[in-house]
Amino acid sequence: MHPAPPDSPSDAPTRGPLTAPRLLLFSLLFSLMSFVLLLVLVAARWNPLMDIDADLSRSLHRAAVAEPDITHGTRVLSDWVWDPWTMRALCAVVVVALAWRLRGAVPVGWVAATCLLGTLLQQALKALVDRPRPVWPDPVDSAHYAAFPSGHAMTATVVCGLLLWLLRRHGAGRALWRTAVVVSVVSVLGVGLTRMWLGVHWPSDVAGGWLLGTFTVLVSTAAYERWRGAGSRS
């Protein structure tokens, strides 16, 4: 019997896809570093980024003024359907329903704390960066507070991300899961586009909200799973 050659498949190292912990770490680092870079560029008023923001915003504003029917529908979506308070209320309803169905197994407090801390972080960054919103001679909508990051975009990302995590964690059926993914993607992308279309946010504000929201969800869910895992081993 001859030994297998050194380069045989049996001795070759396995090079499969990224394991879940590595993928999570990569996602965490990517979202954090991307947001920090964008934050620095916005705070420094980096001219190339400011020019891109201004050009895109002017084009979208001209379209919004020229298409009042589309703009009216966009305002309904942005100010009512995807409003941050609407999204938080949706999250509360789903979490309470799951908690009742699973008899308290859902981490209700954890989700509520994540939403609260995410809102506080977003408001603190708005005050710190203090970026002015776009100003138009013929505005189609209005908004308050500073611009960066977009609260609508971040809230939608956090709420949808947490709800998807809860549904996956507690064994949602395939049809429900696919529907939730589609609705979440449409909501997160849609709310960002509506804020830009209405001229109340620069594109980089929306990108910042998406990135910070993604990082918030990843940190929260990873911390919860680690805490639960440590508790089950003790």
Side-chain angles (χ1 to χ4, degrees), residues 35 39 84-85 88 114-130 133 144-158 201 205 208-210 212-213 216:
F35 176 77
L39 172 64
W85 285 108
R88 294 179 188 120
T114 300
C115 290
L116 175 61
L117 292 175
T119 300
L120 294 177
L121 176 60
Q122 162 220 313
Q123 292 298 326
L125 286 171
K126 280 180 178 289
L128 178 65
V129 178
D130 196 24
R133 293 179 184 268
H144 306 288
Y145 308 111
F148 184 90
S150 167
H152 279 66
M154 179 178 176
T155 301
T157 304
V158 170
H201 272 297
D205 299 336
W210 285 336
L212 185 59
T216 301

Side-chain angles (χ1 to χ4, degrees), residues 80-164:
W80 293 98
V81 178
W82 291 324
D83 179 78
W85 285 108
T86 304
M87 299 299 294
R88 294 179 188 120
L90 170 65
C91 184
V93 169
V94 173
V95 167
V96 170
L98 285 175
W100 175 80
R101 179 183 176 186
L102 300 172
R103 298 183 180 179
V106 179
V108 179
W110 197 276
V111 171
T114 300
C115 290
L116 175 61
L117 292 175
T119 300
L120 294 177
L121 176 60
Q122 162 220 313
Q123 292 298 326
L125 286 171
K126 280 180 178 289
L128 178 65
V129 178
D130 196 24
R131 186 185 195 186
R133 293 179 184 268
V135 177
W136 310 105
D138 50 352
V140 299
D141 201 358
S142 62
H144 306 288
Y145 308 111
F148 184 90
S150 167
H152 279 66
M154 179 178 176
T155 301
T157 304
V158 170
V159 168
C160 290
L162 290 174
L163 292 183
L164 288 177

Side-chain angles (χ1 to χ4, degrees), residues 8 10 13 21 53 69 95 104 158 186 209 234:
S8 66
S10 60
D53 273 346
D69 291 339
V95 167
V158 170
V186 170
S234 60

